[in-house]
Amino acid sequence: MQLMSKMVFRRFMLRKGVALLLALIFVVSTVGLYIAFVNVTTDVPITDRQPAEQASKSNSPSDLPSTAPTHPQTREKPRASTFQTRQPASPAHGALANSTADECVFTSTQPKSSADIEMTKLFDTLPFDNPDGGVWKQGYDITYKMTSFDEHPLEVFIVPHSHNDPGWLKTFEDYYASQTRSILTLITDALAANSKRRFIWAEISYLDLWWQEQSSSRREQFRRLVENGQMEIVTGGWVMTDEANSYYYYAMIDQLIEGHSWIKQNLPGVIPRAGWSIDPFGYNPTLAYLLGETGMNNMVIQRVHYAIKKHLSINKALEFGWRQLWDHSKTTDIFCHLMPFYSYDIPHTCGPDPKICCQFDFKRIEGNPDCPWGIRPEAITDGNVAHRAEMLADQYRKKAQLGKSKTSTTNYERLIGYVNSHPEMKMKVQFGTLTEFFTALRKHTGATEHQIPAGFPTFTGDFFTYCDREADYWSGYYTSRPFHKRMDRVLETNLRVAEVLYSVAVAKKVPVDPNTPVQLTKARRNLGLFQHHDGITGTAKNHVVMDYTQRLTYSITAMKKAAASSAQSLLLAPRHNPGSLVFDIEEIFPLVLLRVNSHKVLVKDAVGTFVPSQISPVWSNEKIISSEEFEVVFVASLGALGFATYQLVPADEGEAPLASVELINHSTSSAVFQPQAHAGGDITLTTSHLTASFSPDKGLLQHVETQGLRVSVSADLVMYQSKHSGNEKSGAYLFLPEGEAHSIVQGQRPAVMVTKGPLLQEVCTAFSVITHCVQVFESPGVEGKSLGIKNTVDIRQEMDRELAMRFSTSVRNMDGVYYTDLNGFQLVRRRTVSKLPLQANVYPMPSAALLQDQSVRVTLYTAQPLGVSSLKQGWLEAMLDRRLSQDDSRGLGQGVTDNLHTVEMFKLLIEKRMTAEPSDLTTTLVYPSLLGHHTSDILLHPLQMLVIKPSHVGLPLFHTHSVLAAPFPCDLHLVNLRSVLDSDPPTNAAMILHRRGFDCGYKTEPLTCSLEGGKLSLSNIFSDFSVTKAVSTSLSLMHEYEPLTTLSLHVPPMEVQTYKLSW
């Protein structure tokens, strides 16, 4: 008997961002087959688990560089939270019911430290109209009085920068070769020639390429420029990350750590102090929180809905303290500056009139490119300097009216001497960096480096969905190229597994593959590169997407090998380790499901006991039962961060339990399964936890019964026709539907396949563009509590159409309120707003969306980021794929036609509310249940399967083993255990922990882990090795704080903390 294992990513053989110099103005085998499983979750043992199926963007350059310093101090932020309380419920009816009520106090109480500006309320009150504002089309006429500058002359900081996309119209390396290399060289020379010049740089990925080519003297010259404050490293991440699709905060954190690690190694003593995120298409508080946790105090953003910008401008609220929704103690604020105008190029940053500002973009003097307003810049001469200086100063003064500070930033490079030498202009102009700007602002207000300046408002919420003009909402990119969004998650999973196993192997001092550190670094950087805001967004040219694909595919393969190698070292005694790799590795989901070439198979555990199993059919072309391949399904049991081994053994005919097969609107034959026609009536799948009912003609879900509830959950598959006329066109960025979606189900007689066995039951329905499968699992673990959904999508026969999966439920969510997640870190309130067009009511869903009323909550968890909406009461609608022939005029210059056969995975969890108050149902802040967190983990941190190769079947494995002496507490999540690769072998690893907030109003069964109030002792957490030292650090390890003298730590609710461990 042979294992017919296929590579999950065999279909990967398929096949914005310009680098610009800008200046910114601020204002398997045989019978004895052995399989080892690796559980990479830390807080709960696995009782079963199932396998994976596998404007145009600104390009207005500036003419001259300037600089910026970068020696910040960490923001002084306490590690503990305080909060007001009301009497909370204990976790409801489950293994955790004996926990103290203190575990639920934080999440059962809305923060008392409410912000001055709450985005959820702002959406309710803003008219979202768009009257002509004059020269500032989306704003209003700005006036000022010169006397307002009598006491405090206006300070203007010209902050030159270069926007370098690591892939968009060109690949990462093509951009570097054609533009970025020369930009960095030009900047270095220009700064060295004039100490008054300043410049800021963000993307460490490009700086790394340039650095590799430089001589030691050139590197030292660059270091001096950074140290003396002319060049400032801003953010310091590997890329300027997307904030809508990047899931989860793992990838956002990882690219920050990779960038900051590079800075530590190559620019010792340099610490990024300010965040710089001017091109992502919308923003959320997760990244703001993460930047603060690295030690930054300030940040700058740009792409925000024009109506929101106008409102904040009118209220002088473009600078604010950005606070987390869950912050009870006002400790998460980071000072944020929002640029007021359309874009971050020179025409839209010096002031409100782009026609005038463009005349100071001296790169355009020769008309390449020309100013769209018809007036070119002029070279500054003695004859025109006074007039031109006053033109520019007028724009600065007008821009200054939009904020509360007496300090403004600008994107201009000449005329400084003239302005500064004429005191009657009441203005001081200088080249500056972000840190110099924010330092001057705090000086004016008397605030310390770590304080939000007095008089500035606080803000909570996010900035989705972005709209740059009219009704052009950027909600299309949430779903563009879902195949590659899924690839991102697969690399995240495999990288995390490889990281954890390698760190454990090093800590245990067992032999490890010496090539693993190199491959880990490549994978970290390839994953980081794809987090770029034209990477995971699906908004790059076809050949650039192919380049990303090749990088992701390479690292997925490399991480599988690295994980298998480390696991081999942990499972085999050194004397039995042959050196060569003995395992193949794959991810699997809820139940263990393997493909074999015989239906006569049983499964034994490590001690030879038979475990429950079933044999299910393999559908060839999704409608024909294969006679050569079969799926063996069984229940596996593993400890937290543990290993277990199982063996497939031959069985006699009739000994292995076979699944039954029923067909509707379809017929096929199988000598093994002998499929039957459905007898009529509703299709029903029943387990000990739930019952799911399906329509007999279409095979689509209708109702779910669980925990004494019967909830209507009517599934539909719908298609949007995209606008494709005039200037309104759906494209890679924009979602512009022609109207409401229509059901693709009507008029079709889909083939329906019903498979029922003792462990796995499934209904699959094959439509023209999608095969939609719903699964239920007989499992004592978390997997048995929800429905699994697998959509196999192929819309290559369509054009200018966008496919979605809709659930119409009986949930009576009040006022159109529902919730979506932000990077898997927190949930945020959404409300369908009738005054806005349909496309404005679509939001990013990196990992989850939910509806709730006083009795029930329905949550859709996703394994890949997509767009989501709730257009009517009780609806949840997830976008699945989009195929578009046209460009949407945002610079890409093409449609999205490189669609692929894509498998998308979901979990649908229905929970009975045990305690509820009406005010809880539309509140700004909600949390998943503990069961919900662990349901999401099934998709995002799947079990890993190691299949031993035929030539090594007899090797003596450690059959059952757990790295942890005891599971982590239920609410404490191991984000990563990431080796610090600064020595060979590594002697330290970063343990990154997140204490998840959870809603105590739902049952916690079948979880058996404990709650410890965020406490964890490192002295005895690992079973085979000891932690000798632990140091509290900033999120990215840039700052080291005090050692943990007792090796005991405490993580407050919702916080993410990093500890540097030594072995």
Side-chain angles (χ1 to χ4, degrees):
M1 179 182 69
Q2 278 193 315
L3 175 72
M4 312 291 292
S5 73
K6 62 174 184 178
M7 291 302 293
V8 176
F9 290 98
R10 60 183 179 184
R11 290 191 292 272
F12 288 170
M13 306 168 30
L14 37 94
R15 51 193 195 286
K16 88 189 155 345
V18 184
L20 300 173
L21 187 62
L22 302 174
L24 172 72
I25 301 167
F26 259 106
V27 190
V28 76
S29 185
T30 62
V31 174
L33 174 66
Y34 275 97
I35 308 158
F37 297 101
V38 184
N39 176 15
V40 291
T41 58
T42 56
D43 45 3
V44 60
I46 300 300
T47 51
D48 63 58
R49 288 265 173 148
Q50 171 170 10
E53 300 281 306
Q54 316 294 332
S56 64
K57 295 183 66 178
S58 296
N59 55 351
S60 302
S62 166
D63 56 318
L64 193 91
S66 241
T67 46
T70 179
H71 274 279
Q73 302 170 10
T74 61
R75 71 172 181 174
E76 296 169 344
K77 181 170 166 304
R79 287 269 188 179
S81 298
T82 59
F83 42 88
Q84 302 294 318
T85 67
R86 75 170 182 232
Q87 187 60 39
S90 294
H93 300 278
L96 307 179
N98 294 327
S99 301
T100 66
D102 290 344
E103 302 292 350
C104 306
V105 168
F106 183 91
T107 56
S108 64
T109 309
Q110 293 294 304
K112 298 299 182 182
S113 53
S114 59
D116 301 305
I117 305 169
E118 298 180 30
M119 182 57 76
T120 53
K121 294 180 180 178
L122 190 57
F123 254 72
D124 293 340
T125 57
L126 270 185
F128 288 97
D129 54 359
N130 189 24
D132 191 331
V135 295
W136 180 15
K137 288 293 185 184
Q138 296 170 330
Y140 51 89
D141 186 40
I142 301 174
T143 61
Y144 62 87
K145 294 180 180 179
M146 282 296 291
T147 55
S148 65
F149 303 105
D150 287 347
E151 184 177 354
H152 298 289
L154 184 64
E155 267 188 272
V156 177
F157 286 82
I158 300 171
V159 182
H161 70 104
S162 178
H163 186 66
N164 291 259
D165 284 313
W168 181 36
L169 306 181
K170 299 179 182 180
T171 67
F172 169 55
E173 289 176 335
D174 286 346
Y175 268 137
Y176 175 73
S178 63
Q179 293 173 282
T180 307
R181 175 194 284 122
S182 60
I183 289 172
L184 278 164
T185 300
L186 167 66
I187 290 166
T188 303
D189 290 340
L191 297 183
N194 186 339
S195 63
K196 292 184 178 180
R197 292 173 177 167
R198 300 288 186 271
F199 205 86
I200 62 172
W201 189 267
E203 297 85 2
I204 300 302
S205 53
Y206 275 127
L207 188 55
D208 173 63
L209 287 184
W210 183 80
W211 196 261
Q212 293 175 35
E213 298 176 348
Q214 305 311 305
S215 64
S216 58
S217 60
R218 188 68 152 174
R219 291 180 180 184
E220 187 55 38
Q221 181 186 41
F222 188 89
R223 287 190 187 101
R224 287 196 301 270
L225 294 172
V226 176
E227 290 169 357
N228 70 20
Q230 288 184 258
M231 169 70 79
E232 178 174 15
I233 305 298
V234 290
T235 303
W238 202 245
V239 297
M240 187 183 296
T241 182
D242 164 66
E243 298 186 36
N245 299 282
S246 285
Y247 184 88
Y248 58 124
Y249 51 102
Y250 171 94
M252 300 174 81
I253 292 171
D254 204 68
Q255 65 88 26
L256 278 172
I257 294 177
E258 192 60 27
H260 288 191
S261 297
W262 188 96
I263 294 169
K264 266 185 111 169
Q265 179 180 352
N266 296 286
L267 302 172
V270 172
I271 300 172
R273 184 184 291 178
W276 177 254
S277 188
I278 59 169
D279 202 35
F281 326 130
Y283 305 94
N284 80 63
T286 299
L287 182 62
Y289 170 76
L290 298 178
L291 293 179
E293 289 301 300
T294 67
M296 296 184 209
N297 303 302
N298 313 300
M299 64 184 298
V300 177
I301 60 175
Q302 154 61 27
R303 290 190 182 270
V304 168
H305 195 300
Y306 61 84
I308 294 172
K309 283 191 173 188
K310 179 179 177 180
H311 173 84
L312 296 178
S313 297
I314 292 171
N315 291 278
K316 296 187 180 296
L318 288 168
E319 290 154 331
F320 50 83
W322 200 344
R323 180 173 298 165
Q324 297 303 305
L325 291 163
W326 44 265
D327 183 358
H328 290 266
S329 54
K330 305 182 184 180
T331 60
T332 62
D333 297 3
I334 184 171
F335 194 54
C336 181
H337 173 93
L338 168 60
M339 298 182 192
F341 306 124
Y342 179 77
S343 183
Y344 49 77
D345 58 0
I346 292 174
H348 296 97
T349 52
C350 91
D353 191 342
K355 177 177 80 279
I356 291 176
C357 291
C358 195
Q359 295 176 53
F360 296 91
D361 186 353
F362 296 101
K363 176 77 172 179
R364 300 173 187 254
I365 286 179
E366 302 300 326
N368 184 27
D370 210 341
C371 280
W373 298 270
I375 306 175
R376 288 185 184 175
E378 298 176 9
I380 301 302
T381 65
D382 291 342
N384 68 6
V385 65
H387 172 64
R388 307 296 286 183
E390 182 53 44
M391 284 177 62
L392 186 60
D394 176 65
Q395 292 297 301
Y396 292 168
R397 295 186 193 109
K398 287 177 177 177
K399 185 174 184 180
Q401 305 309 303
L402 305 181
K404 292 187 177 183
S405 67
K406 293 299 183 182
T407 307
S408 180
T409 52
T410 180
N411 184 327
Y412 181 55
E413 201 265 337
R414 298 177 186 266
L415 309 169
I416 292 177
Y418 181 89
V419 173
N420 289 345
S421 64
H422 288 74
E424 71 276 9
M425 298 187 76
K426 302 178 182 179
M427 184 178 296
K428 177 186 176 183
V429 184
Q430 61 191 305
F431 289 124
T433 64
L434 289 190
T435 293
E436 287 178 327
F437 164 67
F438 283 113
T439 298
L441 189 153
R442 283 185 165 86
K443 179 180 178 182
H444 280 295
T445 62
T448 68
E449 181 181 8
H450 312 291
Q451 293 174 328
I452 302 300
F456 289 87
T458 52
F459 171 89
T460 57
D462 66 341
F463 291 102
F464 293 115
T465 288
Y466 171 54
C467 181
D468 61 345
R469 59 180 185 242
E470 302 300 335
D472 291 0
Y473 284 83
W474 294 42
S475 49
Y477 80 92
Y478 302 155
T479 308
S480 295
R481 291 171 165 137
F483 180 88
H484 303 89
K485 288 175 165 63
R486 178 76 184 115
M487 278 190 77
D488 169 80
R489 297 294 174 81
V490 174
L491 178 52
E492 285 184 39
T493 293
N494 283 279
L495 174 57
R496 179 175 176 270
V497 170
E499 295 271 24
V500 172
L501 291 179
Y502 178 72
S503 295
V504 170
V506 169
K508 288 188 64 175
K509 297 180 172 53
V510 297
V512 292
D513 184 350
N515 193 45
T516 296
V518 173
Q519 294 300 332
L520 284 173
T521 298
K522 286 183 179 179
R524 292 168 178 177
R525 294 181 175 184
N526 283 337
L527 176 64
L529 194 72
F530 195 58
Q531 303 315 300
H532 163 56
H533 55 266
D534 281 304
I536 192 172
T537 54
T539 54
K541 287 279 193 184
N542 288 357
H543 72 283
V544 179
V545 173
M546 185 61 172
D547 182 67
Y548 286 134
T549 302
Q550 291 170 346
R551 293 172 185 272
L552 295 174
T553 304
Y554 172 85
S555 287
I556 288 168
T557 302
M559 290 303 94
K560 287 179 182 293
K561 291 180 179 177
S565 175
S566 295
Q568 179 172 318
S569 297
L570 293 168
L571 287 171
L572 286 170
R575 67 181 182 278
H576 296 301
N577 195 332
S580 60
L581 203 59
V582 304
F583 290 121
D584 293 320
I585 188 167
E586 298 289 347
E587 320 64 54
I588 58 175
F589 291 93
L591 301 177
V592 176
L593 190 155
L594 293 170
R595 289 199 173 183
V596 294
N597 65 352
S598 171
H599 64 282
K600 294 179 284 185
V601 178
L602 292 173
V603 183
K604 288 184 176 181
D605 64 15
V607 296
T609 303
F610 286 104
V611 300
S613 63
Q614 78 179 56
I615 303 297
S616 293
V618 172
W619 296 92
S620 174
N621 296 323
E622 297 163 350
K623 292 183 180 180
I624 300 172
I625 298 177
S626 173
S627 60
E628 298 178 351
E629 288 185 285
F630 305 87
E631 288 178 338
V632 54
V633 183
F634 63 96
V635 176
S637 180
L638 292 84
L641 254 188
F643 296 86
T645 57
Y646 293 84
Q647 183 180 12
L648 303 188
V649 296
D652 295 331
E653 186 69 49
E655 192 174 4
L658 295 177
S660 65
V661 178
E662 296 181 354
L663 303 175
I664 301 171
N665 304 330
H666 178 54
S667 63
T668 188
S669 61
S670 169
V672 174
F673 294 100
Q674 300 181 4
Q676 304 294 313
H678 181 61
D682 285 354
I683 304 166
T684 302
L685 306 183
T686 301
T687 72
S688 57
H689 300 293
L690 56 84
T691 296
S693 301
F694 301 77
S695 60
D697 55 340
K698 307 295 186 183
L700 294 177
L701 184 64
Q702 291 183 316
H703 299 93
V704 176
E705 297 178 40
T706 183
Q707 300 179 42
L709 294 173
R710 187 173 191 269
V711 182
S712 175
V713 190
S714 297
D716 198 1
L717 300 163
V718 300
M719 192 79 78
Y720 288 93
Q721 178 68 50
S722 304
K723 283 188 177 181
H724 53 276
S725 60
N727 294 324
E728 294 184 329
K729 298 177 180 179
S730 268
Y733 300 95
L734 305 184
F735 173 44
L736 292 174
E738 198 64 68
E740 294 185 0
H742 68 273
S743 174
I744 68 169
V745 172
Q746 305 304 319
Q748 291 197 44
R749 295 185 72 251
V752 181
M753 292 75 73
V754 182
T755 304
K756 294 184 178 182
L759 300 178
L760 170 65
Q761 302 177 56
E762 180 179 59
V763 176
C764 287
T765 307
F767 294 95
S768 57
V769 294
I770 181 174
T771 297
H772 173 71
C773 296
V774 178
Q775 302 168 325
V776 298
F777 314 101
E778 187 58 68
S779 162
V782 172
E783 297 84 351
K785 293 291 189 175
S786 59
L787 289 80
I789 298 171
K790 181 178 71 176
N791 290 329
T792 305
V793 179
D794 190 346
I795 63 169
R796 286 176 288 185
Q797 61 184 293
E798 304 289 337
M799 190 60 74
D800 296 323
R801 285 154 73 82
E802 313 190 30
L803 180 66
M805 173 178 66
R806 177 184 295 166
F807 293 102
S808 303
T809 77
S810 55
V811 177
R812 296 292 175 245
N813 53 311
M814 298 170 59
D815 300 326
V817 170
Y818 65 111
Y819 299 85
T820 67
D821 76 298
L822 299 173
N823 308 107
F825 180 66
Q826 56 191 317
L827 293 169
V828 65
R829 176 185 181 267
R830 306 293 187 194
R831 189 173 73 85
T832 301
V833 181
S834 59
K835 62 188 172 187
L836 295 177
L838 188 154
Q839 62 268 22
N841 287 295
V842 177
Y843 292 97
M845 179 180 62
S847 68
L850 68 85
L851 302 168
Q852 64 181 11
D853 60 26
Q854 287 181 279
S855 62
V856 65
R857 172 183 283 187
V858 175
T859 308
L860 182 68
Y861 291 98
T862 177
Q864 54 287 309
L866 299 166
V868 72
S869 64
S870 177
L871 301 177
K872 294 184 180 180
Q873 186 181 63
W875 282 18
L876 265 183
E877 182 174 301
M879 303 298 294
L880 300 179
D881 203 355
R882 51 205 314 263
R883 184 170 173 83
L884 307 160
S885 64
Q886 69 258 332
D887 178 53
D888 53 15
S889 301
R890 294 308 185 275
L892 182 59
Q894 66 162 70
V896 180
T897 57
D898 55 351
N899 305 75
L900 296 166
H901 183 277
T902 302
V903 175
E904 299 175 342
M905 309 288 286
F906 305 86
K907 298 286 284 183
L908 188 66
L909 178 64
I910 298 173
E911 298 175 280
K912 182 178 180 180
R913 182 76 183 179
M914 308 305 295
T915 60
E917 297 181 14
S919 61
D920 294 337
L921 304 179
T922 59
T923 183
T924 299
L925 184 62
V926 301
Y927 299 88
S929 65
L930 269 178
L931 181 60
H933 279 303
H934 291 275
T935 299
S936 183
D937 285 343
I938 295 171
L939 294 174
L940 301 174
H941 308 296
L943 208 63
Q944 302 295 300
M945 178 174 65
L946 301 160
V947 182
I948 198 164
K949 295 178 179 179
S951 57
H952 297 94
V953 166
L955 286 173
L957 300 173
F958 296 116
H959 290 306
T960 301
H961 181 69
S962 179
V963 172
L964 297 179
F968 275 26
C970 275
D971 58 343
L972 203 57
H973 173 58
L974 178 67
V975 179
N976 204 357
L977 188 63
R978 189 185 200 268
S979 286
V980 179
L981 302 177
D982 56 2
S983 62
D984 185 19
T987 57
N988 301 291
M991 173 182 276
I992 306 172
L993 301 173
H994 175 212
R995 188 176 172 197
R996 293 162 161 174
F998 63 93
D999 191 324
C1000 296
Y1002 298 92
K1003 287 188 175 183
T1004 59
E1005 296 171 343
L1007 298 174
T1008 58
C1009 45
S1010 63
L1011 293 169
E1012 303 294 341
K1015 298 175 182 178
L1016 185 70
S1017 173
L1018 300 177
S1019 59
N1020 56 5
I1021 190 65
F1022 297 107
S1023 58
D1024 295 325
F1025 57 91
S1026 298
V1027 176
T1028 59
K1029 182 181 179 182
V1031 179
S1032 174
T1033 74
S1034 62
L1035 179 65
S1036 62
L1037 287 86
M1038 188 64 81
H1039 310 277
E1040 291 193 10
Y1041 308 130
E1042 69 284 350
L1044 304 183
T1045 55
T1046 64
L1047 292 182
S1048 294
L1049 59 87
H1050 172 254
V1051 184
M1054 284 301 296
E1055 298 279 4
V1056 178
Q1057 294 185 357
T1058 300
Y1059 296 89
K1060 187 175 180 180
L1061 307 186
S1062 301
W1063 318 115

